[in-house]
Structure formats: structure tokens, C-alpha cells
Amino acid sequence: MIQEAQLTIDLDCLAHNYNCLRSKLKEDTALIAVVKANAYGTSSVRIAQELAKLGTKHFAVAYTAEAVVLREATIKEDIMVFYPQIGQLDRIIEHQLEPVLYTVEIIKAFIVLLKQKNLKDYPVHIKCNTGLNRIGLSQEDLVFFLTKIDASSLNIKSIYSHLGASENLKPCPFTQHQINAFEVVKKTVKELCPTLPKFHLLNSSGVFNYPEHQLDAVRVGIALYGFANQTEWDLELQPIAKLSAPICQIHTLKKGENVGYNQGWKATKDSRIGIIPIGHADGIGRQYGNGVGKVQILGQTAPIIGNVCMDMLMIDLESIRCEVGTEVILFDKNTTAADFAATGNTISYELLTGLNSRIQRVYQ
Ligand SMILES: *Cc1c(COP(=O)(O)O)cnc(C)c1O
């Protein structure tokens, strides 16, 4: 019987998703597995270990601290850090991580550091901005870097960009514009770079939507966990995580009684309500309260009622036959995290990455 809120992670589904993605790639296209944000709320160490067993040679995280966690868990594969901060570059070197350099300042700072440490041929990646306007070198910065900066201490392993709307079905003028801008980047690099780095552009949805632009590598996150941002593509994948919790108390209420903080819900008839030990501190935000979010109990649906509390939420059991200890499912393979997130006006990414570490992770 389930004791507390738990996230059950199905490692066979992870393998399925990995193989599904691999099947869309040419043999020599590298798969960079994105395990940032605790592998999208699951567990970065365990997921990286499993993916390494499946053949993954390259991992990526957002921040330096996330990569250090993987190194300390003895993950030996390449670890790319998407958004290292200047003050973290020492740690990057200390743990043999591969930084993504995304401004001229950070490139210069890294080269200075390598010189101080007398290091050569250090593996790095360069991020170019092609229209997302989030992070990355402009075309001007790129030309400046390639012509004016002595980068002989760098081993530029790859140069990449990131699509802002890869899940939008073709034709998508914005994505086409980004693809064209990246072609200009490639041409510039080919003209000005003595050794040719690898090029990559696609995230998960991109692999489904633009496999013809897979280039030398793809950076996949959400699809490993079972989602690709279009229903049709989602059908090829299997959500790896199930979030459930037991009913921990049942109340029988008289018509007119109310439930939760600020009398968020009022019984319009005699009612049975269930208390579930998971709340907004666990990542189930207040937007799911007041009838918005729905949970599954023994194949039936019950609404979340009143305001979601920090550690608990309440559901209207109506006539569902259940008792204290009965498992309540927030999302699983059938009612997915994407479905649940949609009720709360958000996306699978936010729901999954927001799951607090106090939710037990169980593997099967
Ligand atoms: C998070 C991230 C990815 C992975 O995106 P998914 O949509 O989860 O596949 C790829 N590239 C960059 C730069 C990212 O920040």
C-alpha cells in the first residue's frame, strides 16, 4: 500500500523513449540527453545512470551545480552545462565539465582562466542566438569571436542554437527563419574556423517535427520523459512518471459545511470528502484548486475542491467507493502529466520540474 505521496518512475518507459528517439536519428547523430532540473523532476542521477547503460555518451544540464551532482555520483560521460555563470567557471574546470559559452565576456573569462591554469584543448560549446533572443552570440559576436579572439586553448566541440517554436506544425515561418539563420552561422564557422565543430539545433519536438535538420546531434529532454508537445507525437512515447498519494482521511459533511482555507468550498449537499497528503509545497499549485484539477481513484474521477494547501489537498469523493489508504492518482500513463498540467493552464515541463524533492521517488 502506498504510504505517502510518491513519484513512480518506470525505467522500461525511459528505455522505450530513448529507443524511439534513437530510431529517428541517423547512426552518427549524437543524442545529448538533457537531465537538467533533476531530470525534469524525476532524479538526475538515477536517470543518467540508466541512460548511460542504454548507450548515452553525452549529458546536458542547465547549471554548474547540477553537473557537480552527477560527477559526484560518478557519472563519467561528457556533461555539457548550458548556462554556466562567470563565477562558476573554476568549478567547471575542477569537475571536468563542458561549458557552453554564450557571450563574448564569458568566452574571454574562460580563456583567461585556462591560461592561468596552463590548460589547452579544453572542450567547450558555443551557443548562437538565431531568434529566440534568450541567450547566445549574435552573428556579429560570432564573427568577432572567430576573427579577433585567440581561441587556441579551446577545443570547440560544437556550435548550436535553440528553436523557439519547434512544436508548431509546419510550415512555421518563425522556425524556418531560425533554420535559415543557423545556416548562416554554419557557413560563417566553416569559413572562419580552422577545425570544424559539430552543429546542432533540435530539442525533443524538433526531432519529431524536423528530423531532416538533425545535423550532428540533438538535445533531447522532455521526450525522454514521455512528451513531445503534440498529441500525435506523444502517442509514440510513454510517460515515465506516475504521481500518486493515498487518501489519509475521509470526512462526511453536512450540506452547508465548508472545506479548507478561506472556506474555499461549500457542500451544496451532504458530502464525502477525501484528504490527500500532497500540496502546493510539493508542486501541485493553487491553480489546481476549486474544481480545476481532477484526480483518478479506482478508475473514477474526483475534483480537487477548495484551496490547495501547502501539504494537502481535498477532493470530493461523491459516491466513489474508497477508504483511507486508497491510492489517488494525479497523473500516470493514461491521464498524463500533460493532461493534468493543461487543466492548470501550464505545461508538462513546469508540472514535472516543480515536483518537490520530499515526494519519494520509487523506481520500477
Ligand atoms: C532544456 C533544453 C533542451 C531540451 O528541450 P526539450 O524540449 O525538453 O527536449 C535543449 N536545448 C536547450 C538549450 C535547453 O535549454
Side-chain angles (χ1 to χ4, degrees), residues 34 36 40 82-83 127 134 160 162 203-204 219-222 349:
V34 181
K36 62 189 177 185
Y40 292 49
F82 284 149
Y83 314 114
K127 174 76 175 285
R134 191 173 63 178
Y160 73 93
H162 190 55
N203 67 338
S204 295
R219 307 178 307 274
V220 289
I222 197 79
Y349 295 77

Side-chain angles (χ1 to χ4, degrees), residues 109-129:
F110 199 62
I111 290 173
V112 167
L113 205 59
L114 292 175
K115 193 158 279 163
Q116 279 169 10
K117 295 181 190 288
N118 203 17
L119 290 171
K120 295 215 162 51
D121 212 30
Y122 196 97
V124 301
H125 305 266
I126 303 291
K127 174 76 175 285
C128 290
N129 177 20

Side-chain angles (χ1 to χ4, degrees), residues 49-81:
Q49 286 167 341
E50 294 298 323
L51 288 171
K53 275 189 229 162
L54 291 166
T56 305
K57 304 267 186 299
H58 314 278
F59 290 105
V61 293
Y63 295 109
T64 308
E66 299 180 295
V68 173
V69 168
L70 295 177
R71 276 288 181 258
E72 287 176 347
T74 71
I75 298 292
K76 300 271 190 305
E77 286 71 18
D78 296 348
I79 307 176
M80 185 171 175
V81 180

Side-chain angles (χ1 to χ4, degrees), residues 303-345:
I304 298 173
I305 56 172
N307 292 309
V308 172
C309 310
M310 186 186 294
D311 314 304
M312 259 161 282
L313 55 81
M314 285 72 88
I315 59 177
D316 184 2
L317 295 173
E318 300 252 0
S319 58
I320 300 173
R321 287 166 160 272
C322 56
E323 53 197 39
V324 167
T326 302
E327 184 186 43
V328 172
I329 296 169
L330 288 95
F331 57 77
D332 63 1
K333 285 190 195 55
N334 304 315
T335 308
T336 68
D339 300 332
F340 189 86
T343 66
N345 222 344

Side-chain angles (χ1 to χ4, degrees), residues 1-6 8 242-247 325-328:
M1 198 171 82
I2 176 170
Q3 302 290 325
E4 289 194 334
Q6 82 179 36
T8 313
K242 163 183 157 180
L243 180 63
S244 61
I247 298 177
T326 302
E327 184 186 43
V328 172

